[in-house]
Structure formats: C-alpha cells, structure tokens
Amino acid sequence: MKNRSVITVLMLSVISAFIFSGCQSEKKSLKPGERWLDNNGQPINAHGGGILFHEGTYYWYGEMKQGETYLPECNKKWGGTRVDVTGVSCYSSDDLTNWKDEGIVLPAVKDDPSHDLYFDNVLERPKVVFNAKTNQFVMWMHVDSKDYSKAAAGVAVSDSPTGPFNYIESFRPNAGVWPLNVTASDTIEGVLARDFEGGQMARDMTVFVDDDGKAYHFYSSENNATMHISELTDDYLRPKGEYKRIFTGRKMEAPAVFKRNGKYYFMASGCTAWEPNPARSAVAESIWGPWKELGNPCVGDDAEKTFISQSTYVLPIQGKSDAFVFMADRWNKDDLPDSRYIWLPVQFDENGNIVLEWHDEWDLSVFGK
Ligand code: DGJ
C-alpha cells in the first residue's frame, strides 16, 4: 500500500513537471520568419537582441515588445510606430534552438517620468558582455525619448547573467573629446562639432569584446549619418575617451561586429526606420580600421531587403571553427510584438567576403562537426 502511494506521488510529480515545463517538444531546427516559441509555449520576445555565451550556456537578451503598437504624435512626420517599453528579456539555451524564458532582467519604470527607463521612452538593442576583471555582466543599450532626440547610451550591471540588472546611467559618449581621426573641418562645422561639449549622439549600437578583453561600443552617431567606434574603460562601464568616426556619411544602423581569422567584420543596415533595406558589410585588419566596405552580402530572393529583415548581431558558435550566425529582426511595424527572427548561417566566399543565403529551415549541422 505504502509503495503504491509512493509510485502515485512520483508519477504525479513527473506529470506536473512536464505540464509546468510547458510540454514543449524539443525543437531540432531553426525556421527563420516563423513564430519561435519558448519553453512555456510563448512567442520568444527578444527583439533587437544579442547573445552572450557564458559557462556553457547561451543567453539571448532583447527588447520585450508588448502591448499596442501605435504612432505617437511626435513621430507622425516620419511614421515611427512604437510600443511602450516593458524591459529587457532574457532566454537561455544550450543548443540555440530550444529557449528557456528567464524573465525580464531589466524592467521598465512605471511611475517616474524622469527615469531613462520610463515606459513612455525608448529602450532598444540591448547587448550584454561579461567583464572578467570585475566579474560583472554589463548591459549596454540605446535609451531615447519617444521622438528619438535624446540619442544616448544606457548602462546596467548584474552579478548574474539572468539578472536582475541594476541600471546605472545614460550619457552621450565622448563629451569634450575629439575623435582620433578628426579633421579640421569636423571641428568647426557639422553635428560632431555641435555635440562636442555635450557628447555624441548614440542610437543603434552593439558592443564587441576582442580576444585581448578590450571592449568597443559601435553606435550610429551624428544623426545616424556616421558610425562611431569607441573603446570602453577596463570595467566596460564608460567610454575610455578614444574613438573614431567610421563609414562617414554612409547612414548606417543596426551594427553587428565579429572576428574571423584575425580580421574584423562589420554588418549593418541603411536607415529606413522599420522598413528593410540592403544590408551593408565591411572588413578591417584592425578594429580601428581602415574599414573596407564589401557591399550587401545577401544573395537570392529578397536580397535587396536583407530577406525582409535588419541585422542585430552576429554570433560565433562555441566549439566550432568558422561558424557564425547572422541574427536579424523582421520588424512588423503595425504589430511590433509580432516581429519575427531571421537567423541564417554566415558563409564566406573565396575572397573572404560574407555571403548570406536564405534557408526555410536549418540546423547547426550546416557548420559540420
Ligand atoms: C531602425 C532602428 O534600427 C531600430 O532599432 C529602431 O530604432 C527603428 N529604426 C525605429 O523606427
């Protein structure tokens, strides 16, 4: 009798564990553009995101987009729809295919209109890096006012990859500092000179950590006309005060950076709000450049629209050489929470140029063993 009740209790706990884990069957492949579900059977909500690999686990951070998509009065001229800020979400995985919801690791602020993370503002493109010297997880993000005039970088830290992250501050980078490659005309005219004292505009962004532990903030600056690359302090919390203008006047957003065979690669989009446009790519021998533009790496149908998506990150696959995943957002400007994910394997041609081809369905075996 006692044995029977022990067995019943065991069976019930197995069944409830199954139910509470969301009864999601294991996924074996990635299907770009389809609705991707997490372990609870909910659509993964991590837009404009990036991935951190830490101690055997991938952590995917992104903008949690919830609620009504609307066009605020202040953005009517250029049609910039939005959802109110909910926060930064996090998902974890050991195979990049099955994702566990780790919750909101940096929530929006509901009751303080003066706070950067107030729900009525903008929080975009969060990226998390690990600082081995301080043992801290450092999140950089684009924080803005609803009309995108603030154009600042925000920083938050946590002792754990799954948060909670403590928000520190926002700022416009490199106030009072000229870029390393400044020219005489830059110092007297234009947006760079205008923003010299208060700091440079910083919108779409990524953070890249090099093999030597140095970290760099790439951000669309000067009203999105020119990208800046700015080295971070050793603790990754502030700009170090050394930066360069790159792709001057080329109007790029959505930067993503990776390193292959000692060379630095850069991907980005043009600036067309939520609409897709041809992707950009570039290569350099040194992170400080000179950067050589390689053009749109996409081939085939919808190549001119980056397969109807916009870059957000390029992820090196751990344990495999020469294996990178291009991560992009297929924005749905009328229903932003239903924006989908386009992940594709990065290929290289014989000259080392990036090539992106569409796949309806694929898995990590494309990279070999
Ligand atoms: C394009 C940017 O890449 C996105 O992050 C977002 O800021 C939209 N513009 C807003 O229209």
Side-chain angles (χ1 to χ4, degrees):
M1 192 61 195
K2 202 171 165 203
N3 274 354
R4 258 171 67 187
S5 38
V6 170
I7 289 168
T8 314
V9 169
L10 275 175
M11 278 175 62
L12 281 173
S13 26
V14 170
I15 290 166
S16 58
F18 186 66
I19 289 169
F20 288 115
S21 74
C23 350
Q24 288 304 299
S25 54
E26 207 196 3
K27 291 184 245 338
K28 301 263 188 258
S29 61
L30 294 164
K31 296 181 183 170
E34 292 207 355
R35 189 170 276 138
W36 294 4
L37 302 182
D38 66 13
N39 61 312
N40 297 318
Q42 296 302 312
I44 294 178
N45 199 326
H47 309 278
I51 289 185
L52 168 75
F53 180 77
H54 187 74
E55 294 181 348
T57 300
Y58 293 98
Y59 297 92
W60 177 4
Y61 304 89
E63 304 156 24
M64 168 148 281
K65 290 199 177 291
Q66 273 181 348
E68 189 204 347
T69 302
Y70 65 98
L71 180 57
E73 195 58 41
C74 60
N75 292 351
K76 282 223 160 106
K77 254 194 189 155
W78 61 282
T81 55
R82 61 174 268 120
V83 291
D84 290 343
V85 181
T86 304
V88 177
S89 55
C90 174
Y91 296 82
S92 63
S93 173
D94 55 13
D95 63 6
L96 289 173
T97 310
N98 295 278
W99 291 95
K100 176 174 175 241
D101 180 12
E102 300 285 358
I104 295 179
V105 295
L106 181 68
V109 170
K110 294 201 175 77
D111 51 8
D112 178 3
S114 69
H115 198 288
D116 286 345
L117 304 187
Y118 187 53
F119 72 88
D120 209 27
N121 291 332
V122 166
L123 190 180
E124 289 178 343
R125 298 188 178 270
K127 304 287 177 293
V128 175
V129 290
F130 177 65
N131 188 298
K133 285 189 183 140
T134 60
N135 253 317
Q136 279 192 315
F137 297 85
V138 183
M139 181 188 292
W140 281 69
M141 68 210 92
H142 165 204
V143 293
D144 224 318
S145 43
K146 210 177 198 167
D147 64 356
Y148 288 86
S149 60
K150 184 180 172 83
V155 180
V157 291
S158 175
D159 293 333
S160 154
T162 52
F165 280 78
N166 295 315
Y167 188 71
I168 306 178
E169 60 176 342
S170 74
F171 47 82
R172 282 193 169 183
N174 296 309
V177 186
W178 289 114
L180 296 170
N181 55 346
V182 70
T183 68
S185 64
D186 298 331
T187 64
I188 50 168
E189 61 189 32
V191 179
L192 184 85
R194 183 198 70 188
D195 291 340
F196 175 74
E197 265 177 42
Q200 298 298 325
M201 297 176 88
R203 292 201 183 109
D204 276 13
M205 51 134 286
T206 194
V207 175
F208 171 76
V209 179
D210 207 343
D211 304 329
D212 59 5
K214 289 184 179 173
Y216 302 85
H217 179 206
F218 286 72
Y219 55 91
S220 303
S221 195
E222 303 176 40
N223 245 335
N224 290 356
T226 294
M227 189 69 52
H228 287 185
I229 165 175
S230 168
E231 189 172 337
L232 301 184
T233 49
D234 283 355
D235 57 13
Y236 300 171
L237 299 181
R238 295 283 305 184
K240 190 179 156 190
E242 286 179 14
Y243 72 111
K244 267 193 175 181
R245 306 172 79 212
I246 54 175
F247 311 116
T248 312
R250 291 285 293 132
K251 295 198 172 91
M252 297 191 190
E253 288 189 317
V257 179
F258 64 102
K259 193 174 184 180
R260 174 192 185 239
N261 295 343
K263 288 188 181 173
Y264 299 87
Y265 286 85
F266 173 90
M267 297 196 65
S269 70
C271 295
T272 50
W274 301 119
E275 301 296 340
N277 55 54
R280 315 281 182 89
S281 66
V283 66
E285 301 282 342
S286 154
I287 195 142
W288 290 112
W291 285 91
K292 183 183 159 214
E293 276 200 56
L294 301 173
N296 179 1
C298 303
V299 293
D301 290 351
D302 288 323
E304 289 310 299
K305 293 181 179 170
T306 315
F307 310 116
I308 318 177
S309 72
Q310 185 187 31
S311 48
T312 185
Y313 201 74
V314 175
L315 173 71
I317 304 294
Q318 297 299 313
K320 298 201 185 212
S321 64
D322 223 8
F324 300 89
V325 178
F326 170 74
M327 293 169 52
D329 297 282
R330 179 172 283 177
W331 299 115
N332 179 346
K333 69 176 193 311
D334 301 316
D335 183 4
L336 285 166
D338 192 34
S339 302
R340 308 284 174 87
Y341 311 105
I342 305 299
W343 289 13
L344 295 168
V346 178
Q347 302 168 65
F348 298 89
D349 69 14
E350 60 287 358
N351 300 316
N353 297 345
I354 305 170
V355 179
L356 289 178
E357 277 178 311
W358 178 258
H359 294 255
D360 286 332
E361 181 172 5
W362 65 283
D363 62 60
L364 297 190
S365 68
V366 298
F367 297 120
K369 293 254 165 185

